[in-house]
Amino acid sequence: MISFSRVDTSILGRWWWTVDRWLLASLLLIIAVGAILTLAASPPVAARLHLGTYHFALRQFSYLPLALTVMIGISLFSPIMIRRLATVAFIGFLILTASTLFLGSEIKGAARWISFAGLTLQPSEFLKPTFAVVAAWMFSEWRKDTNFPGHFVAVGLYVVVAGLLVAQPDFGMTAVISAVWGIQFFIAGLPVFFVVLVAFVFLTGSMVAYTFVDHVKSRVDRFLDPTSGDNYQITRSLEAFQNGGLFGTGPGEGEIKNVLPDAHTDFIFAVAGEEFGLIACLIIIGLFATVVLRGFARMFREDNLFVLLAVGGLVTQFGLQAVINMASTTHLMPTKGMTLPFISYGGSSLVSLALGMGMLLALTRRRAGGDL
Amino acid sequence: MADDALTITPWRRKFVAICLIALPVVVAGRALVLQTERSDKLTNAGHDRYTRQFDLQARRGMIFDRNNEPLAVSARVYHVFADPGVLQWADEKHAGNESENKSKVAQILGLTVAELDNMIANSTSPRYTVVARQVRPAQWAAIRELSRAQGVRGFGVEHKERRYYPAAEVMSPVLGFTDVDGKGIAGLEQTVNTALSGQSGKVVQIAIGSRDTKVFEPVHMSKARKDGENLGLTIDLRLQHVAYRELKKHALRHKAQSASLVAVDVSTGEVLSMATWPADNPNDPEMKTKGVIVNRPALTTFEPGSTIKPFTILNALESGVYNANTMVKTSPGILRVDEFKVRDTKNYGDLTLEGILQKSSNVGAAKIAIALGPEAVWSMLDRFGFGKSSGLNLPFESAGRLRDWNNWYRADLMAAGYGYGLSVTLLQLANGYAGLANGGVSTPPLLVKGALRSPRRAVADPKLSAQVVQMMRSVVVEGGTGTRAAVLGYSVAGKTGTSLKQINGEYRTGVYQSLFAGVIPATQPKLAIAVLVDEPASGEYYGGLVAAPVFSSFATEAMRLLNVTPDLPEQIEQMREKEREALEALEEEPGNE
């Protein structure tokens, strides 16, 4: 371990003494768990696609140094720098996201990806954390009683972002961004009347979607009544958990990765459950919960409204995404194509999460009260 | 700026925090339940959408006779199923042809439209219902053609096999048959089902891609099929055909219930023929529900009667008490033992052992049995395989019955001497004669080439056995009971038998079983043959009259087919001489131009 003297006032020295080390350790452990599970889950998927055994694992590992550099590098920033970075990045990725509508590559029926220099990038992944920070800034400006109409700006930005995502179409991403934005607005003090209104609109919207959108109806029906149709993935996933039991079948001994196309992405938690057992599942859940807990603990001690809201947004996004993935995999809710942060395969997702968690680490560093 | 966080109320933060922490707790609880509970209710629902599995049915092995003539072969057929989920009678281009196409499909499958509709409507599975079984390739090709031309969709096939038996009823009692799923359920098909079946394989495929771009890729759970083994039998189909023909002819002539024949190669124990009439044709689909296929030679038991006497005589010689010249007093042709009476057809006076065989004297055989004692009589029969399973393991094969000598009364001992009180199968009888003719070496019978069997055993003195065989020649010559078993050019040693048939444990007056068992050529035995004609009702019932001619006809052809050199060529010469003289005599007669 590198050691830093408390009187060390270099950038790294100050970082080491101010960063939330519980948070940092949890994130690093989650990344390590992800590397192990990618090694376990991806070879059969690669074999099915006639790729090399470690095709996915090697690609994922090649992104790890970049992700770690981004996360640690950004965590060195001050909150004011974070705000600037997020704003610039948000605008840049918003433009890129908009451009996917015209020049994106289509994968699995949705145009979300942009290719350049041999790399494919999903710009909307990077919108998630940067938008959370920008929205936090706007809400905090609104509350600070200046004449700046931050909440209207936030609503306007939200409409643009959500519109772009729906156009792709990417309903999963839209749902996460909406939830995060809504929770930030709620924490910032959305009048109760509007909270009730939003809840009402949400419920009505759900009913309308269920009634008129066929695939929504079929997903909900299949969730409520597993015998009503195609539940192959979820059934296999549940079998995997049962098969795993307390201690798991052992690394490489699981079956689910052989039979599910998405074993290395959406259903990686089931691979963990099967091969490493209940104890590993509880450890993974515990790690995600630690990140959320540390984030909220910070929110109750935070004086700065922007930081408070930004931390709330980033933590909510991270926690919500993890919970949705794990809840889908364990059949607690209808399946939704959501990745498990830092664990599911995917380069864009990994780097964008590193960006988000880097910002979270930066914002949760101890500062003199109220400083930015 | 420092205290701007105070501008918002903390309860909102608390609310969100509690929700976000509760969620992982719920997930953890769910994982705990899932991974500690064992339940079957979650299995297999809806797999077919994402995976599909094809069984690769192993090809059932073929069965051949000893000369590689096919006896049982499998042809590819299809079970056609409908998938009501995607059923379509015509594509958009041919809309309007639906009912016409439906009636075409029904016609191809040999169904009425109503039957087809019914089967689809009453499908127990939403995706699968078999509408026709054992459909020939040409029929399936016709449906495929309709699907190409008219867009008929929703039919699929499972690859199956249909079993054909080229020798039909001639071989069916031995071979048995298979059920619709190709599993042997009778005869050899059942006995060696495992070897014939092989092991089926499967291809498991998994869907990759979204609904529209779905492609299927095989995964590692697939398994290659292993075809069944081919089997070669020791049966000679040519002899089998002759046997069946002669059995049928003589059984019909004598209005018999059934007739059976077993021919065993004396030196190897190979069963060259095992035939029985009547039998049904296993290629007839109705046969499986209504038909009769009983492998009587191995299943039906009967009292061997006089055909057992050669073993009694061998026993007498082995004991040292009797020799070829010993005279046994049989007058007055009746013997009383306890309340039991043994009769001969007439009073033969004093008989040599050969005389006892030739005249088939019950009194003589009974006296010898009593003189030898139960243990010796039992032991001789036991050593030649009576009362014991043949080792062929045919389904329902009988071992016959030879009770332990400790429980014999004197009457049982005496009856055993002339073949009553025990029951045997025709296979055992032929095999016993083969052992006798093979110098007293008992060889377990063999039906499937290369099958394992217990070792052959020397069970009697070779010289004495040969002596008994020579004595048995007297049966077939002038003065014997079995002259009709004679075969031109070959010496025959045999024994007739006529037993009262037991039905439900009681002898019925006038119900007989006519027997003949013998070996040919007697000088250098090749075949041991046993014939049973059951319940002849033509008025003739003596084995020498009913069964011996079957032996003669069969053996005559068998010797020719097996290229056995005649050991009595002078008989043939004499016959030719006679024919020539007769012909000359006829031609000298005037008016015969």
Side-chain angles (χ1 to χ4, degrees), chain A residues 48 50 143-144 183 186 188 190 230 232 235-236 238-239 241-242 245 258-259 261 273 277-278 281 285 293 296 299-300 302-305 308 316 330 372, chain B residues 1-2 4-5 7-8 12-14 16-17 20-21 23-24 27-28 30-32 34-35 38-39 42-45 47 49-51 206-207 217 219-220:
Chain A
R48 278 206 300 276
H50 306 301
R143 295 306 297 189
K144 277 193 287 191
I183 285 168
F186 174 74
L190 179 68
D230 168 19
Y232 176 73
T235 314
R236 272 301 158 98
L238 294 182
E239 280 171 13
F241 282 104
Q242 291 194 327
N258 295 315
V259 295
L278 174 66
C281 286
I285 295 169
L293 270 174
F296 277 95
M299 281 170 70
F300 291 106
E302 183 57 56
D303 296 332
N304 184 284
L305 186 57
L308 188 157
T316 303
T330 53
L372 271 188
Chain B
M1 193 166 175
D4 55 8
T7 58
I8 60 167
R12 292 168 181 261
R13 265 172 282 174
K14 280 184 192 154
V16 173
L20 271 180
I21 290 306
L23 289 175
V27 172
R30 174 69 174 168
L32 192 76
L34 274 180
Q35 293 183 280
R38 291 279 150 202
S39 140
L42 300 167
T43 49
N44 292 334
H47 285 202
R49 279 292 197 53
Y50 278 83
T51 60
I206 175 164
E217 295 276 345
V219 293
H220 83 293

Coordinates of all heavy atoms in Angstrom, one line a residue, chain A residues 48 50 143-144 183 186 188 190 230 232 235-236 238-239 241-242 245 258-259 261 273 277-278 281 285 293 296 299-300 302-305 308 316 330 372, chain B residues 1-2 4-5 7-8 12-14 16-17 20-21 23-24 27-28 30-32 34-35 38-39 42-45 47 49-51 206-207 217 219-220:
Chain A
R48 N -20.5 -19.9 -28.7 CA -21.7 -19.9 -29.5 C -21.7 -19.0 -30.7 O -22.3 -19.2 -31.8 CB -23.0 -19.6 -28.7 CG -23.5 -20.7 -27.9 CD -25.0 -20.5 -27.6 NE -25.2 -19.3 -26.8 CZ -25.1 -19.2 -25.5 NH1 -24.8 -20.2 -24.8 NH2 -25.4 -18.1 -24.9
H50 N -19.0 -18.3 -32.2 CA -17.8 -18.6 -33.0 C -16.7 -17.6 -32.8 O -16.0 -17.3 -33.8 CB -18.1 -18.8 -34.5 CG -19.3 -19.8 -34.7 ND1 -19.2 -21.1 -34.2 CD2 -20.5 -19.7 -35.2 CE1 -20.3 -21.7 -34.5 NE2 -21.1 -20.8 -35.1
R143 N -33.3 26.3 -5.9 CA -33.6 26.4 -4.5 C -32.9 27.6 -3.8 O -33.3 28.0 -2.7 CB -33.2 25.1 -3.7 CG -34.0 23.9 -4.1 CD -35.5 24.1 -4.0 NE -35.9 24.3 -2.7 CZ -37.2 24.3 -2.3 NH1 -38.1 24.1 -3.2 NH2 -37.5 24.5 -1.0
K144 N -31.8 28.0 -4.5 CA -31.0 29.1 -3.8 C -31.7 30.4 -3.9 O -31.1 31.4 -3.6 CB -29.6 29.1 -4.4 CG -28.7 28.0 -3.7 CD -27.3 28.2 -4.0 CE -26.9 27.8 -5.4 NZ -25.5 27.7 -5.7
I183 N -36.3 11.7 -8.7 CA -35.9 11.6 -7.3 C -35.1 12.8 -6.9 O -35.3 13.4 -5.8 CB -35.1 10.3 -7.1 CG1 -36.1 9.1 -7.1 CG2 -34.4 10.3 -5.8 CD1 -35.5 7.7 -7.1
F186 N -37.6 15.5 -6.4 CA -38.3 15.2 -5.2 C -37.5 15.7 -4.0 O -38.0 16.4 -3.1 CB -38.6 13.7 -5.1 CG -39.3 13.3 -3.8 CD1 -40.6 13.6 -3.6 CD2 -38.6 12.6 -2.9 CE1 -41.2 13.2 -2.4 CE2 -39.1 12.2 -1.7 CZ -40.5 12.5 -1.4
A188 N -35.1 17.8 -4.0 CA -34.9 19.2 -4.0 C -36.2 20.0 -3.6 O -36.1 21.2 -3.4 CB -34.5 19.6 -5.4
L190 N -39.8 19.2 -4.9 CA -40.9 19.2 -5.8 C -42.2 19.3 -4.9 O -42.4 18.5 -4.0 CB -41.0 18.0 -6.6 CG -42.1 17.8 -7.6 CD1 -42.0 18.9 -8.7 CD2 -42.1 16.4 -8.2
D230 N -43.7 -17.2 -23.3 CA -42.2 -17.3 -23.3 C -41.5 -16.8 -22.1 O -41.4 -15.6 -21.9 CB -41.8 -16.5 -24.6 CG -40.3 -16.3 -24.6 OD1 -39.6 -17.0 -23.9 OD2 -39.9 -15.4 -25.3
Y232 N -38.6 -18.4 -21.1 CA -37.4 -19.2 -21.1 C -36.3 -18.7 -20.3 O -35.7 -19.4 -19.4 CB -36.9 -19.4 -22.5 CG -35.7 -20.2 -22.6 CD1 -35.7 -21.6 -22.4 CD2 -34.5 -19.6 -22.9 CE1 -34.6 -22.3 -22.4 CE2 -33.3 -20.3 -22.9 CZ -33.3 -21.7 -22.7 OH -32.2 -22.4 -22.7
T235 N -37.0 -18.5 -16.5 CA -37.1 -19.9 -15.9 C -35.7 -20.5 -15.7 O -35.4 -21.0 -14.7 CB -37.9 -20.8 -16.8 OG1 -39.1 -20.1 -17.2 CG2 -38.3 -22.0 -16.1
R236 N -34.9 -20.3 -16.8 CA -33.6 -20.8 -16.7 C -32.8 -20.1 -15.6 O -32.0 -20.7 -14.9 CB -32.9 -20.6 -18.0 CG -33.1 -21.8 -19.0 CD -32.6 -23.0 -18.3 NE -33.1 -24.2 -18.7 CZ -32.5 -25.0 -19.6 NH1 -31.4 -24.7 -20.2 NH2 -33.0 -26.2 -19.9
L238 N -34.0 -18.8 -12.8 CA -34.4 -19.3 -11.5 C -33.8 -20.7 -11.2 O -33.4 -21.0 -10.1 CB -35.9 -19.3 -11.4 CG -36.6 -17.9 -11.5 CD1 -38.1 -18.0 -11.3 CD2 -36.0 -17.0 -10.4
E239 N -33.8 -21.5 -12.3 CA -33.2 -22.8 -12.1 C -31.7 -22.7 -11.7 O -31.2 -23.5 -10.9 CB -33.3 -23.6 -13.4 CG -34.6 -24.2 -13.7 CD -34.7 -24.8 -15.1 OE1 -33.7 -24.9 -15.8 OE2 -35.9 -25.1 -15.5
F241 N -30.3 -20.3 -10.0 CA -30.2 -20.0 -8.6 C -30.4 -21.3 -7.7 O -29.7 -21.5 -6.8 CB -31.2 -18.9 -8.2 CG -30.8 -17.5 -8.6 CD1 -31.3 -16.9 -9.6 CD2 -29.7 -16.9 -7.9 CE1 -30.9 -15.7 -10.0 CE2 -29.3 -15.6 -8.3 CZ -29.9 -15.0 -9.3
Q242 N -31.5 -22.0 -8.1 CA -31.7 -23.2 -7.3 C -30.6 -24.2 -7.4 O -30.2 -24.8 -6.4 CB -33.0 -23.9 -7.9 CG -34.2 -23.1 -7.6 CD -35.5 -23.9 -7.8 OE1 -35.5 -24.8 -8.7 NE2 -36.5 -23.7 -7.0
G245 N -27.6 -23.1 -5.1 CA -27.8 -23.4 -3.7 C -26.9 -22.5 -2.9 O -26.5 -21.4 -3.3
N258 N -24.5 -21.8 -20.7 CA -24.6 -22.5 -22.0 C -25.9 -22.3 -22.7 O -26.0 -22.6 -23.9 CB -24.4 -24.0 -21.7 CG -23.1 -24.3 -21.1 OD1 -22.1 -23.8 -21.6 ND2 -23.0 -25.1 -20.1
V259 N -26.9 -21.9 -22.0 CA -28.2 -21.9 -22.6 C -28.8 -20.5 -22.7 O -29.8 -20.4 -23.4 CB -29.2 -22.8 -21.9 CG1 -28.7 -24.3 -22.0 CG2 -29.3 -22.5 -20.4
P261 N -28.5 -16.7 -24.1 CA -27.6 -15.8 -25.0 C -27.1 -14.6 -24.2 O -26.0 -14.1 -24.5 CB -28.6 -15.3 -26.0 CG -29.8 -16.1 -25.9 CD -29.9 -16.7 -24.5
G273 N -25.0 -16.7 -9.1 CA -25.8 -17.5 -8.2 C -25.6 -19.0 -8.4 O -25.6 -19.7 -7.4
G277 N -22.9 -19.5 -5.7 CA -23.9 -19.7 -4.6 C -24.4 -18.5 -4.0 O -24.1 -17.3 -4.3
L278 N -25.3 -18.8 -3.0 CA -26.0 -17.7 -2.2 C -25.0 -16.8 -1.6 O -25.2 -15.6 -1.6 CB -26.9 -18.4 -1.2 CG -27.6 -17.4 -0.2 CD1 -28.6 -16.6 -0.9 CD2 -28.3 -18.2 0.9
C281 N -23.8 -14.2 -3.9 CA -24.9 -13.3 -4.2 C -25.1 -12.3 -3.1 O -25.2 -11.1 -3.4 CB -26.2 -14.0 -4.4 SG -26.3 -14.9 -5.9
I285 N -24.7 -8.2 -3.4 CA -25.7 -7.3 -3.0 C -25.2 -6.4 -1.9 O -25.4 -5.2 -1.9 CB -26.9 -8.1 -2.4 CG1 -27.6 -8.9 -3.6 CG2 -28.0 -7.1 -1.8 CD1 -28.6 -9.9 -3.1
L293 N -25.4 3.1 0.7 CA -25.4 3.6 2.1 C -24.4 4.7 2.3 O -24.7 5.7 2.9 CB -25.1 2.4 3.0 CG -26.2 1.6 3.5 CD1 -25.7 0.4 4.3 CD2 -27.1 2.5 4.4
F296 N -25.8 7.9 0.8 CA -26.8 8.6 1.5 C -26.3 9.1 2.8 O -26.7 10.2 3.3 CB -28.0 7.7 1.7 CG -28.9 7.7 0.5 CD1 -28.8 6.8 -0.5 CD2 -29.9 8.7 0.4 CE1 -29.6 6.8 -1.6 CE2 -30.7 8.8 -0.7 CZ -30.6 7.8 -1.7
M299 N -25.1 12.3 2.2 CA -26.2 13.3 1.9 C -26.7 13.9 3.2 O -27.3 15.0 3.1 CB -27.3 12.6 1.1 CG -27.0 12.5 -0.3 SD -28.3 11.4 -1.1 CE -29.7 12.5 -1.1
F300 N -26.7 13.2 4.3 CA -27.2 13.8 5.5 C -26.2 14.7 6.2 O -26.6 15.4 7.1 CB -27.7 12.7 6.5 CG -28.9 12.0 5.9 CD1 -28.9 10.7 5.4 CD2 -30.2 12.7 5.9 CE1 -30.0 10.1 4.9 CE2 -31.3 12.0 5.4 CZ -31.2 10.8 4.9
E302 N -24.1 16.6 4.3 CA -23.7 17.5 3.3 C -24.4 18.9 3.5 O -25.6 18.9 3.7 CB -23.9 17.0 1.9 CG -23.5 17.8 0.7 CD -22.0 18.1 0.8 OE1 -21.2 17.2 0.8 OE2 -21.6 19.3 0.8
D303 N -23.6 19.9 3.3 CA -24.1 21.3 3.4 C -24.5 21.9 2.1 O -25.4 22.7 2.0 CB -23.1 22.2 4.1 CG -22.9 21.8 5.5 OD1 -23.8 21.1 6.1 OD2 -21.7 22.0 6.0
N304 N -23.7 21.4 1.1 CA -23.9 22.0 -0.2 C -25.0 21.3 -1.0 O -25.0 20.1 -1.2 CB -22.6 22.0 -1.0 CG -22.6 22.7 -2.3 OD1 -23.2 22.2 -3.2 ND2 -22.1 23.9 -2.4
L305 N -26.0 22.1 -1.4 CA -27.1 21.5 -2.0 C -26.8 20.9 -3.4 O -27.3 19.8 -3.7 CB -28.2 22.6 -2.2 CG -29.5 22.1 -2.8 CD1 -30.1 21.1 -1.9 CD2 -30.5 23.3 -3.0
L308 N -25.1 17.6 -2.6 CA -26.1 16.7 -2.1 C -27.0 16.1 -3.2 O -27.1 14.9 -3.2 CB -27.0 17.5 -1.1 CG -28.0 16.8 -0.2 CD1 -28.3 17.6 1.0 CD2 -29.3 16.4 -0.9
T316 N -28.4 7.0 -6.7 CA -29.7 6.5 -7.1 C -29.6 5.7 -8.4 O -30.0 4.6 -8.6 CB -30.7 7.6 -7.2 OG1 -30.8 8.2 -6.0 CG2 -32.1 7.0 -7.5
T330 N -34.0 -12.4 -10.6 CA -34.6 -13.3 -9.6 C -36.2 -13.3 -9.7 O -36.9 -13.7 -8.8 CB -34.2 -12.9 -8.2 OG1 -34.5 -11.5 -8.0 CG2 -32.8 -13.1 -7.9
L372 N -16.8 24.5 -2.4 CA -17.0 23.7 -3.6 C -15.6 23.4 -4.2 O -14.8 24.3 -4.5 CB -17.8 24.5 -4.6 CG -19.3 24.3 -4.5 CD1 -20.1 24.9 -5.7 CD2 -19.6 22.8 -4.5
Chain B
M1 N -23.6 30.6 0.9 CA -23.6 29.4 0.1 C -23.5 28.1 1.0 O -24.0 27.1 0.7 CB -22.4 29.5 -0.8 CG -22.5 28.4 -1.9 SD -21.4 28.8 -3.2 CE -21.5 27.4 -4.2
A2 N -22.8 28.3 2.1 CA -22.5 27.2 3.0 C -23.7 26.4 3.4 O -23.6 25.2 3.5 CB -21.6 27.6 4.1
D4 N -26.7 26.3 2.2 CA -27.9 26.2 1.2 C -28.6 24.9 1.3 O -29.7 24.7 0.9 CB -27.5 26.5 -0.2 CG -26.3 25.7 -0.7 OD1 -26.0 24.7 0.0 OD2 -25.8 25.9 -1.8
A5 N -27.9 23.8 1.9 CA -28.6 22.6 2.0 C -29.8 22.6 2.9 O -30.7 21.8 2.9 CB -27.7 21.5 2.5
T7 N -32.0 24.7 2.9 CA -33.2 25.2 2.2 C -34.2 24.1 1.8 O -35.3 24.3 1.4 CB -32.9 26.0 0.9 OG1 -32.1 25.1 0.1 CG2 -32.1 27.2 1.2
I8 N -33.7 22.8 1.9 CA -34.6 21.7 1.6 C -34.8 20.9 2.9 O -34.0 20.9 3.8 CB -34.1 20.8 0.5 CG1 -32.7 20.2 0.9 CG2 -34.0 21.6 -0.8 CD1 -32.3 19.1 -0.1
R12 N -37.4 14.2 2.8 CA -37.5 13.7 1.5 C -36.2 12.8 1.2 O -36.3 11.7 0.6 CB -37.5 14.8 0.5 CG -38.8 15.6 0.5 CD -38.6 16.9 -0.3 NE -39.9 17.7 -0.3 CZ -40.8 17.6 -1.3 NH1 -40.5 16.9 -2.3 NH2 -41.9 18.4 -1.2
R13 N -35.1 13.3 1.7 CA -33.8 12.4 1.6 C -34.0 11.1 2.3 O -33.7 10.1 1.8 CB -32.7 13.2 2.2 CG -31.8 14.0 1.3 CD -30.8 14.8 2.0 NE -31.5 16.0 2.6 CZ -30.8 16.9 3.4 NH1 -29.6 16.6 3.7 NH2 -31.5 17.9 3.9
K14 N -34.6 11.2 3.6 CA -34.8 10.0 4.3 C -35.7 9.0 3.6 O -35.4 7.8 3.5 CB -35.4 10.3 5.7 CG -34.4 10.9 6.7 CD -35.1 11.1 8.1 CE -34.2 11.9 8.9 NZ -34.9 12.7 10.0
V16 N -36.3 8.7 0.4 CA -35.5 8.0 -0.8 C -34.5 7.0 -0.3 O -34.4 5.9 -0.8 CB -34.9 9.1 -1.6 CG1 -34.0 8.5 -2.7 CG2 -35.9 10.0 -2.3
A17 N -33.8 7.4 0.8 CA -32.7 6.5 1.3 C -33.3 5.2 1.8 O -32.8 4.1 1.5 CB -32.0 7.2 2.5
L20 N -34.3 3.1 -1.2 CA -33.2 2.5 -1.9 C -32.4 1.5 -1.1 O -31.8 0.6 -1.7 CB -32.2 3.6 -2.3 CG -32.5 4.3 -3.7 CD1 -31.5 5.4 -4.0 CD2 -32.5 3.2 -4.8
I21 N -32.5 1.5 0.2 CA -31.8 0.5 1.0 C -32.7 -0.7 1.2 O -32.3 -1.9 1.2 CB -31.4 1.1 2.4 CG1 -30.3 2.1 2.2 CG2 -31.0 0.0 3.4 CD1 -29.1 1.5 1.5
L23 N -34.7 -1.9 -1.1 CA -34.7 -2.7 -2.3 C -33.6 -3.8 -2.3 O -34.0 -5.0 -2.5 CB -34.6 -1.8 -3.6 CG -35.8 -1.0 -3.9 CD1 -35.5 0.0 -5.0 CD2 -37.0 -1.9 -4.2
P24 N -32.4 -3.5 -2.0 CA -31.4 -4.6 -2.0 C -31.7 -5.6 -0.9 O -31.4 -6.8 -1.1 CB -30.0 -3.9 -1.7 CG -30.3 -2.5 -1.9 CD -31.7 -2.2 -1.8
V27 N -34.1 -8.0 -2.5 CA -33.4 -8.8 -3.4 C -32.6 -9.9 -2.7 O -32.6 -11.1 -3.1 CB -32.5 -8.0 -4.4 CG1 -31.6 -8.9 -5.2 CG2 -33.3 -7.1 -5.2
A28 N -32.0 -9.5 -1.6 CA -31.2 -10.5 -0.8 C -32.1 -11.5 -0.3 O -31.8 -12.7 -0.3 CB -30.5 -9.8 0.3
R30 N -34.9 -12.5 -1.5 CA -35.4 -13.3 -2.6 C -34.3 -14.4 -3.0 O -34.6 -15.6 -3.2 CB -35.6 -12.4 -3.8 CG -35.9 -13.2 -5.1 CD -37.3 -13.8 -5.1 NE -37.6 -14.4 -6.4 CZ -38.6 -15.2 -6.6 NH1 -39.4 -15.6 -5.6 NH2 -38.9 -15.7 -7.8
A31 N -33.0 -13.9 -3.0 CA -31.9 -14.9 -3.3 C -31.9 -16.0 -2.3 O -31.7 -17.1 -2.6 CB -30.6 -14.1 -3.4
L32 N -32.1 -15.5 -1.0 CA -32.1 -16.5 0.1 C -33.1 -17.6 -0.1 O -32.9 -18.8 0.0 CB -32.3 -15.7 1.4 CG -32.0 -16.5 2.7 CD1 -30.5 -16.6 2.9 CD2 -32.7 -15.8 3.9
L34 N -34.7 -18.4 -3.0 CA -34.5 -19.2 -4.2 C -33.4 -20.2 -4.0 O -33.5 -21.3 -4.5 CB -34.0 -18.2 -5.3 CG -35.0 -17.5 -6.2 CD1 -34.3 -16.7 -7.2 CD2 -35.9 -18.6 -6.9
Q35 N -32.4 -19.8 -3.3 CA -31.2 -20.7 -3.3 C -31.2 -21.7 -2.1 O -30.3 -22.6 -2.0 CB -29.9 -19.9 -3.3 CG -29.8 -19.2 -4.6 CD -28.5 -18.4 -4.8 OE1 -28.4 -17.3 -4.3 NE2 -27.6 -19.0 -5.5
R38 N -36.0 -26.0 -2.5 CA -35.9 -27.0 -3.6 C -37.3 -27.1 -4.2 O -38.2 -27.5 -3.5 CB -35.4 -28.3 -3.2 CG -33.9 -28.3 -2.8 CD -33.0 -28.4 -4.0 NE -31.8 -27.7 -3.7 CZ -31.0 -27.2 -4.7 NH1 -31.3 -27.3 -5.9 NH2 -29.8 -26.6 -4.3
S39 N -37.5 -26.8 -5.4 CA -38.8 -26.9 -6.0 C -38.7 -27.3 -7.4 O -37.8 -26.9 -8.1 CB -39.5 -25.6 -5.8 OG -40.3 -25.3 -6.9
L42 N -40.6 -24.8 -11.1 CA -40.1 -23.8 -12.0 C -39.5 -24.4 -13.3 O -39.0 -23.7 -14.1 CB -39.0 -23.0 -11.3 CG -39.4 -22.3 -10.0 CD1 -38.2 -21.9 -9.3 CD2 -40.3 -21.1 -10.4
T43 N -39.6 -25.7 -13.4 CA -38.9 -26.3 -14.5 C -39.6 -26.2 -15.8 O -40.8 -26.4 -15.9 CB -38.5 -27.7 -14.2 OG1 -39.7 -28.4 -13.8 CG2 -37.4 -27.8 -13.2
N44 N -38.9 -26.1 -16.9 CA -39.3 -26.4 -18.2 C -40.4 -25.5 -18.9 O -40.8 -25.8 -20.0 CB -39.7 -27.8 -18.4 CG -38.4 -28.7 -18.2 OD1 -37.3 -28.2 -18.5 ND2 -38.6 -29.9 -17.8
A45 N -40.9 -24.5 -18.2 CA -42.0 -23.8 -18.8 C -41.4 -22.9 -19.9 O -40.6 -22.1 -19.7 CB -42.7 -22.9 -17.8
H47 N -39.6 -23.4 -22.6 CA -38.3 -23.6 -23.2 C -38.3 -23.5 -24.7 O -37.4 -23.1 -25.3 CB -37.7 -24.9 -22.8 CG -37.2 -24.9 -21.4 ND1 -36.2 -25.7 -20.9 CD2 -37.5 -24.1 -20.3 CE1 -36.0 -25.4 -19.6 NE2 -36.8 -24.5 -19.3
R49 N -39.5 -21.9 -26.9 CA -39.3 -20.7 -27.7 C -37.9 -20.3 -27.9 O -37.5 -19.8 -28.9 CB -40.0 -19.5 -27.0 CG -41.5 -19.4 -27.2 CD -41.8 -19.1 -28.6 NE -43.2 -18.6 -28.9 CZ -43.8 -17.6 -28.2 NH1 -43.2 -17.0 -27.2 NH2 -45.0 -17.2 -28.6
Y50 N -37.1 -20.7 -26.9 CA -35.7 -20.3 -27.0 C -34.7 -21.5 -27.4 O -33.7 -21.3 -27.9 CB -35.2 -19.6 -25.8 CG -35.6 -18.2 -25.7 CD1 -36.8 -17.8 -25.3 CD2 -34.7 -17.2 -26.2 CE1 -37.2 -16.5 -25.4 CE2 -35.0 -15.9 -26.2 CZ -36.3 -15.5 -25.8 OH -36.7 -14.2 -25.9
T51 N -35.1 -22.7 -27.0 CA -34.3 -23.8 -27.4 C -35.2 -24.7 -28.2 O -36.4 -24.7 -28.0 CB -33.7 -24.6 -26.3 OG1 -34.8 -25.1 -25.5 CG2 -32.8 -23.8 -25.4
I206 N -30.1 -23.5 -29.6 CA -30.5 -22.3 -28.8 C -30.7 -21.1 -29.8 O -29.9 -21.0 -30.7 CB -29.5 -22.0 -27.7 CG1 -29.9 -20.7 -26.9 CG2 -28.1 -21.9 -28.2 CD1 -29.3 -20.6 -25.6
A207 N -31.7 -20.3 -29.5 CA -32.0 -19.2 -30.4 C -31.0 -18.1 -30.0 O -30.8 -17.8 -28.9 CB -33.4 -18.8 -30.3
E217 N -28.3 -22.2 -33.0 CA -27.0 -22.7 -32.9 C -27.0 -23.9 -32.0 O -27.6 -23.9 -31.0 CB -26.0 -21.7 -32.3 CG -25.8 -20.5 -33.1 CD -24.8 -20.6 -34.2 OE1 -24.0 -21.6 -34.1 OE2 -24.8 -19.8 -35.1
V219 N -25.7 -26.4 -29.1 CA -24.9 -26.2 -27.9 C -24.4 -27.6 -27.5 O -24.7 -28.6 -28.0 CB -25.7 -25.5 -26.8 CG1 -26.0 -24.1 -27.1 CG2 -26.9 -26.3 -26.4
H220 N -23.5 -27.5 -26.5 CA -22.7 -28.7 -26.2 C -23.5 -29.9 -25.6 O -23.0 -31.0 -25.4 CB -21.6 -28.4 -25.2 CG -22.0 -28.3 -23.8 ND1 -22.8 -27.3 -23.3 CD2 -21.7 -29.1 -22.8 CE1 -23.0 -27.5 -22.1 NE2 -22.3 -28.6 -21.7

